[in-house]
Amino acid sequence: MTNDDLEGRLARLRAEWPVDSMVDAVTARIEAEPPRRRPRRARRLAGMAASGLGLLGVLTLAWLMIASRPTTLLAAVQRGLEKANAAHLIFNGTDEKGVEHRGDAWYVKGRGVRMEEPGRVIVEDLTNQWSWRTDAGEPVVIRQRTPGFFATQLPQMMALQASPDGWKRERSPELDRDVDGRACRGYTFNAPPELFPGRPAPRAVLLADAEELVRELAVEERREDGTWRRAREVRIEYDPPIPPGKLAFGPPDGGRVIDRDEAFHGRFPLDRALHRVELGGLILAVHVVQPLVDREGFYVVSSVRGTAEFLRRHPPRRRPLNPERVDLDVAFQRIGNGMYGTSYDMVGLGDATRDGVEYGWWLIVPRRFFRLKDGRREYVRDGELGPAAGEPARLDDLPGKARIPLRATYWDPAFRDQRGALGEVSTWAEVPIPPDRDATTIEAVAARARRDLIDMGGGAAGYTLLGIAADAKPDASNGRPMSHFLPESITDADFAAAVRRGLDDLRGWDQIGDVEMSQPPPP
């Protein structure tokens, strides 16, 4: 199949499933900033590292499986979906705990798709998509414009030139078998070993019928004894009978519908930002700044987005993450825990990305250098150690203002430097502190950050909180890895404790003197 063939099929599928340009919509929003309005309140995984499939579920496992396979294999799946007027996809996967999960998707050309997984439903037509939890005490339905999962996202991923090359296709007669009563021929796609250093390379297994329709696609991992374990699979039924009402949207009893665009963009409108600056085609803004008690630094909510001119010159890449979410890769702020320069620490609380805009919730705190004397910490006096070049000596030395560091990194590889590092812009900003923002505690701002993410769509929108889980173990550098938490699935107190654990870890790196130190990576 040539690139022209793929482009032709893409054009036909897009015509059948019209989806407005996300880039155009973002540009229009920047060029005509929204009027001042009262933000509408709205209603990856409580311990994402420890909760199995959770929100993303088996649907995303199958999505990632399809999206990461060679172009030739993806084209074969596309051909089958293009020929069919309807399809039923059954996704099966096993999580890291060995628990099996199943998801189903029903697709009717020209009408839409319905996806179901344990605890979650997604319905999409040619204009809108609705999603909701079926296990929530207070059902909240999130509405957004359709990402076009089958007609736009899947075919685009099939045609990406970034798909791994070098997968070797082999006819595998020993895999031949019937699928849904149809005789199918087996094929394997073996990954190049160099793509998986330190572990056995996986393989993709495909079963196609006499009409060359892909009936089953699976990813298998090689065990230590040389046998193969099926990790995840998708089975496709073409033109099955689908009840007329299957794809119709009907809100659950007592369900409340919120608009995801309004919930996201209405929370912190750009025209109400406390401070904004343009650097390298990016708009960096500070929406909230509040001092912490005992001169412990500041709580910050910031954002980054491209200017209209930047988006025209550098159209962002659309990156589908799952059936609900497509990101536009513009820039990110590196929200996390780590040293900021030499005199300050950043403590990440959470982030949320949509339509090429990223919001970050974080703390900027002065480092508290100390020496160990007789087994006890002896803290260095203020001013004893001067700041590094380009850093302020204090964050709070300006009356009514805070010195806040702003930084953003381009996603576009065109901005990489000669060493291949991603391009970056940064500055120190003088941000006015609202008169009603008295000094407060980490517990209070942690609760505010959690509420913000819930009101903007929460875990259902893919937004997560950051912190150190109570059971996290130190790694080789004596630091503990960060975890992601669903805002709805953690209490204010537990989240504040996770934030404080991160700050405690960073404080451990503030020792100076005749000791050998290695520094954790910056956020």
Side-chain angles (χ1 to χ4, degrees), residues 10 14 27 56 67 70 122 140 165 177 219 222 225 238 240 247 253 351 356 401 424 449 455 478 482 485 493:
L10 285 175
R14 291 189 188 107
T27 301
L56 300 183
I122 302 168
V140 176
D165 294 324
R177 61 182 175 87
V219 170
R222 187 184 289 274
D225 62 4
Y238 297 95
L247 274 61
D253 293 340
D351 56 20
K401 293 185 177 181
E424 185 176 279
D455 288 347
N478 207 34
M482 296 193 74
F485 306 93

Side-chain angles (χ1 to χ4, degrees), residues 470-482:
D471 58 353
K473 306 298 182 184
D475 56 23
S477 66
N478 207 34
R480 290 173 288 187
M482 296 193 74

Side-chain angles (χ1 to χ4, degrees), residues 100-129:
E100 295 184 357
H101 299 263
R102 168 172 168 153
D104 292 81
W106 294 268
Y107 163 62
V108 177
K109 184 181 294 185
R111 287 186 53 199
V113 61
R114 180 186 182 96
M115 289 166 274
E116 296 181 358
E117 63 170 329
R120 190 159 190 78
V121 175
I122 302 168
V123 177
E124 180 178 315
D125 62 18
L126 303 186
T127 305
N128 295 304
Q129 182 190 89

